[in-house]
Amino acid sequence: MRKLVCEVLAEQGYRVCPARDGQEAWARAPSEFDFVLIDVVMPRVSGGELARIMAREPPDLPVLFKSGHPDARATLTTSW
């Protein structure tokens, strides 16, 4: 799924920075994004926690959550 999403976004002209988990995403994150697409359920750092970390700079960074897990809403907290 990650590969397909990366290909589609790249074809639309977006610079894509894929990562296997939240920790790798934060380590590789460029300083400027148009938006961040985050899987809700990830190893090491959850999607919600990664969104909180990345939204600190800049604070208005758009975040789009996605998941293929049927119980993913239970793991996402919105109190940031």
Side-chain angles (χ1 to χ4, degrees):
M1 182 58 113
R2 177 181 40 184
K3 183 178 177 183
L4 174 63
V5 170
C6 289
E7 289 175 7
V8 169
L9 290 172
E11 287 174 3
Q12 296 301 311
Y14 289 99
R15 180 178 48 146
V16 180
C17 182
R20 287 173 284 204
D21 58 47
Q23 192 171 24
E24 181 183 340
W26 179 241
R28 297 181 57 199
S31 60
E32 293 184 21
F33 284 116
D34 291 323
F35 69 93
V36 179
L37 175 63
I38 299 176
D39 194 337
V40 175
V41 180
M42 295 187 295
R44 299 177 8 169
V45 177
S46 72
E49 182 62 24
L50 180 60
R52 281 189 288 280
I53 293 167
M54 295 185 96
R56 292 180 193 152
E57 185 106 7
D60 59 346
L61 178 67
V63 177
L64 176 64
F65 291 99
K66 67 104 183 148
S67 184
H69 299 277
D71 61 345
R73 280 187 280 162
T75 64
L76 179 62
T77 59
T78 57
S79 60
W80 9 307

